[in-house]
Amino acid sequence: MPPRIRPTGRAAALMAGLLTVLATALPAATASDRVALSLADAPRTMVAYNADEGAEATNRDFRVPVAVVPGNTEPARNITVVVDASGLKDIARVTEGGHGNCTGGGWVYTCAYGTLSNDGESNAPFDIVGLDGVEPGDSGTVTYTASADNAAPVTGTTRVVVGGPTLGAPGGETKVSGVKPGQPTSFTPEFANHTRFPADRGVALHVTADGGLTLKARHSNCVYAGASPASAWCVFPAGAAPGAAYRTSAPLVYAAAAGELHGTLTYSWSSTPEKPASHPVRGTGAPATLVPTADATFGSANGTVRVETTAQADYRPVTATVRGRVGDTVEVRLGVRALGPVVPHGNEVRGRFEVVPPEGTTVTSVPYAFEEMDRDWGCERPEEPGGAFVCDLEGEALSWTGRDDGTTAIVFHVRIDRQVADARGTIRVYAPYDRTPGNDTAAIPLDASPAPAYRAVFRPAVWVPVAVAAAVGVALAAVHRRRRRRAD
């Protein structure tokens, strides 16, 4: 192997200079080459509060979401976001609150987001508090800068707007019954502007249908979420005057799906009109407008319509005969059978059944097992003798006992105390969606045979006097023996 030659003198100096030039000319690996941050999900505009709320308004919904741009070769380490809200000084205050790992005060807050790979994180640096004296449309700007140990800083802004006025919907609930599934049914939303501000930017109506209800795409100033929508946005450009109440000139139309027992319509009004991209279908009919209506208690955030259909979940009692000899404790299976055509599901109330046992009997237990525990009473016992046992179909004992044939039942342990001619107990079903009351009650007959002869010997009425007589006899015999011993 040839010997190594070490540069010395001028050669060493030349090599060192060359390395310096190369180090300067070649680009260094920067943080942004390895990982990048994104503020694309941060809101560009938000309504902080309505002008009529003034200093009573508090908004806790301002958040700064930070994401890591996909394709990074390593996690973004020690991400922090500095938020400057000084641009809001003419329309709001900010106070410590929010959520997440944020610290600070005054107008500037710093939030720690930790280390992220390909996911995102969101923190709320502060609460926004309203000011008196603002007008609808007044605005300010929040700025924020996100950075990490190995990522270049990125900056974002959110324009914060004072909205208004607040528009109120009717309080309470409107209840509608007798709606036939599949048949179009209408309702008319209402609202009032009980503020001093005009809604001169227009009015928006948002309607949401739940529980199998769908809206019909009828009005061209409304956009709907699909072909069978459960959500709609309608815009009314004319707006609303201060101190006035309105309703839609034409009703909105909905229908209940087959097999639905009930549903809910919820609607709200806004003086900040919007047309969300998630509602691509425009109504095909004439536009609805706003017309004056009688003022009322329009102070609720939402209007609610509870809809009950004509569909039913018909229940019939499951009964049996208490059959056995006097003194026996027998098992009797009692409950309900769902005849349909609809079966309650989800959070729909299933109902209950009540049992009054036949005269001459005593219910000794209604046992069941739950979570590996044996329990004695699956139904609520009556407070007074002769009362009804109440069995909740949604209770612990019965909520999991349904069978494929629609039967939900539980076994009663019934002791036959005595023979009673033609004795009959009752079982009655109570269900909110059962619209056929004629089959809700059934009898629980008693078929009692006399106790066997051997059992009569051991009845307390027999063996107690015998035992007493025997004891007396034994005592007298002992006394007689003692007297004879004394005489001898």
Side-chain angles (χ1 to χ4, degrees):
M1 175 183 293
R4 292 182 179 178
I5 300 175
R6 298 192 178 189
T8 59
R10 294 181 60 187
L14 288 171
M15 182 173 290
L18 178 61
L19 291 173
T20 302
V21 171
L22 289 173
T24 305
L26 293 175
T30 64
S32 59
D33 291 332
R34 299 190 298 269
V35 63
L37 302 177
S38 172
L39 292 168
D41 294 332
R44 295 295 171 259
T45 303
M46 70 169 290
V47 176
Y49 60 97
N50 288 342
D52 54 278
E53 296 177 284
E56 296 182 358
T58 299
N59 188 327
R60 297 182 173 89
D61 295 333
F62 177 73
R63 295 173 174 82
V64 182
V66 177
V68 179
V69 176
N72 57 295
T73 59
E74 59 181 275
R77 295 188 296 272
N78 299 323
I79 301 170
T80 59
V81 177
V82 178
V83 185
D84 184 349
S86 59
L88 303 182
K89 63 181 181 179
D90 294 330
I91 67 162
R93 296 182 295 113
V94 296
T95 61
E96 184 176 355
H99 65 78
N101 299 316
C102 298
T103 58
W107 295 107
V108 179
Y109 289 76
T110 300
C111 300
Y113 285 64
T115 296
L116 302 177
S117 296
N118 293 314
D119 50 4
E121 184 64 64
S122 179
N123 284 317
F126 45 69
D127 295 344
I128 298 175
V129 180
L131 295 179
D132 289 330
V134 294
E135 298 286 330
D138 290 350
S139 66
T141 302
V142 179
T143 62
Y144 32 88
T145 300
S147 60
D149 290 351
N150 56 334
V154 290
T155 300
T157 61
T158 297
R159 180 171 173 260
V160 178
V161 181
V162 176
T166 301
L167 305 179
E173 296 180 354
T174 300
K175 295 184 179 180
V176 179
S177 59
V179 174
K180 295 181 179 180
Q183 178 176 305
T185 308
S186 61
F187 78 105
T188 302
E190 300 175 292
F191 76 95
N193 178 6
H194 286 160
T195 77
R196 63 184 180 87
F197 300 105
D200 50 13
R201 299 172 59 197
V203 170
L205 167 65
H206 183 206
V207 183
T208 302
D210 293 309
L213 303 182
T214 56
L215 301 168
K216 301 298 181 181
R218 292 289 181 90
H219 305 292
S220 59
N221 62 319
C222 301
V223 289
Y224 301 83
S228 298
S231 178
W233 281 90
C234 304
V235 174
F236 303 88
Y246 298 86
R247 61 173 175 82
T248 57
S249 61
L252 276 67
V253 178
Y254 66 94
E260 294 295 337
L261 296 168
H262 59 82
T264 304
L265 295 164
T266 305
Y267 65 90
S268 60
W269 297 88
S270 170
S271 57
T272 307
E274 59 179 302
K275 298 178 182 178
S278 58
H279 291 58
V281 177
R282 181 170 295 279
T284 57
T289 61
L290 296 178
V291 296
T293 190
D295 204 342
T297 306
F298 293 122
S300 177
N302 300 303
T304 303
V305 180
R306 300 288 184 189
V307 177
E308 187 173 285
T309 74
T310 57
Q312 75 158 335
D314 184 23
Y315 284 175
R316 184 187 71 192
V318 172
T319 188
T321 298
V322 180
R323 180 177 287 110
R325 295 177 178 271
V326 172
D328 287 349
T329 296
V330 298
E331 295 184 353
V332 183
R333 186 168 175 266
L334 304 172
V336 301
R337 175 165 295 152
L339 303 180
V342 181
V343 177
H345 58 83
N347 60 355
E348 292 172 336
V349 179
R350 295 175 60 201
R352 69 186 191 278
F353 63 93
E354 297 184 0
V355 172
V356 177
E359 184 183 357
T361 67
T362 301
V363 176
T364 59
S365 66
V366 187
Y368 70 101
F370 184 78
E371 294 182 350
E372 300 180 357
M373 296 286 291
D374 293 330
R375 312 197 182 193
D376 290 333
W377 296 102
C379 299
E380 183 180 345
R381 288 175 283 180
E383 295 181 358
E384 298 180 358
F389 290 79
V390 179
C391 306
D392 184 359
L393 294 175
E394 298 173 65
E396 185 179 86
L398 288 158
S399 59
W400 306 104
T401 60
R403 296 187 178 182
D404 292 339
D405 63 355
T407 298
T408 301
I410 193 168
V411 172
F412 279 64
H413 287 189
V414 183
R415 185 182 67 235
I416 302 174
D417 298 323
R418 65 185 189 278
Q419 287 182 289
V420 178
D422 300 322
R424 299 164 71 87
T426 57
I427 175 172
R428 182 185 297 274
V429 175
Y430 297 87
Y433 309 111
D434 185 342
R435 314 192 200 287
T436 308
N439 62 355
D440 289 352
T441 304
I444 306 172
L446 172 64
D447 182 3
S449 302
Y454 71 85
R455 185 177 292 166
V457 173
F458 297 99
R459 289 172 55 198
V462 174
W463 61 261
V464 169
V466 171
V468 171
V472 170
V474 170
L476 291 175
V479 170
H480 179 69
R481 285 196 296 272
R482 285 197 296 271
R483 287 176 175 174
R484 288 186 61 183
R485 291 194 191 100
R486 291 172 183 169
D488 293 342

